Amino acid sequence: VLGDIKQSILATDLAVFFKNKVTLSNIISQDKFNWDTIHHRELLRAITMTGCDLCAMTKPWHIQEETVRVIYEEFYSQGDEEKKRGIIPMQMMDREKKEELPKLEVGFIQSICVPCYELMFSVMPDTKPMLEGAKENLKRWQDLLDNQLKLMGTVV
């Protein structure tokens, strides 16, 4: 049990997710996923742990947007501390680049969340609401980004 707990916690690391995503995607694309295969179940559990970790991205818009803003406020606080120490913070942690939030969220949802929920859905169809929620929030962030670009006079 402790080993399963440790594996589940480590699975929330996005570096681990990408490796697991490739492996599970290959198994699924070859139509070889088998619930009786322990390794397949472990991979799916790891992907599901990532999905659970990112579940705010599947919530109704008002909850998702507020959660993102709270998370980014933590990021900005960390960036502020890094600046005080003479360190240039990552873009997502730089309060002076707040206008980048819609672009960052679009990238995050497109490259991590939607692929995660698509994998889950392909094996566990009952997770469809999570995939749909992530796609709906992606559309909302994309709309914000498109409007922002229009206001800046950039072609969308």
Side-chain angles (χ1 to χ4, degrees):
V1 171
L2 288 176
D4 287 347
I5 292 170
K6 179 180 178 181
Q7 183 184 19
S8 295
I9 292 168
L10 293 174
T12 62
D13 181 335
L14 290 179
V16 174
F17 164 72
F18 287 114
K19 178 183 168 206
N20 288 335
K21 177 182 152 263
V22 168
T23 305
L24 186 58
S25 293
N26 288 335
I27 292 167
I28 292 169
S29 70
Q30 296 170 16
D31 199 25
K32 292 187 177 181
F33 183 85
N34 185 334
W35 283 101
D36 294 327
T37 303
I38 292 171
H39 178 63
H40 294 182
R41 291 195 318 262
E42 288 173 345
L43 284 168
L44 182 59
R45 180 178 59 224
I47 295 294
T48 302
M49 287 303 299
T50 299
C52 293
D53 196 35
L54 304 174
C55 73
M57 301 312 219
T58 71
K59 304 290 185 191
W61 175 248
H62 70 282
I63 296 170
Q64 202 274 320
E65 182 185 31
E66 178 61 25
T67 302
V68 167
R69 297 203 186 278
V70 168
I71 290 168
Y72 269 84
E73 190 52 46
E74 288 180 29
F75 288 170
Y76 297 149
S77 293
Q78 181 176 332
D80 295 344
E81 289 300 316
E82 289 175 357
K83 283 181 179 181
K84 286 179 188 174
R85 289 187 249 146
I87 300 168
I88 298 172
M90 292 172 37
Q91 179 181 10
M92 64 190 277
M93 296 188 178
D94 191 342
R95 188 180 302 278
E96 294 172 24
K97 296 182 180 175
K98 275 186 175 182
E99 73 282 352
E100 305 266 333
L101 180 59
K103 178 182 174 186
L104 293 170
E105 284 304 293
V106 165
F108 182 71
I109 296 171
Q110 279 180 336
S111 64
I112 297 170
C113 300
V114 169
C116 176
Y117 296 121
E118 285 174 339
L119 267 176
M120 289 171 55
F121 172 68
S122 70
V123 179
M124 301 180 298
D126 288 345
T127 62
K128 186 175 184 179
M130 297 178 89
L131 175 59
E132 290 173 340
K135 286 182 175 180
E136 178 58 33
N137 287 324
L138 172 59
K139 182 183 179 315
R140 297 291 293 265
W141 285 111
Q142 185 65 58
D143 289 346
L144 286 173
L145 177 59
D146 291 347
N147 289 334
Q148 188 181 59
L149 293 173
K150 284 178 189 173
L151 288 172
M152 293 171 41
T154 306
V155 177
V156 178

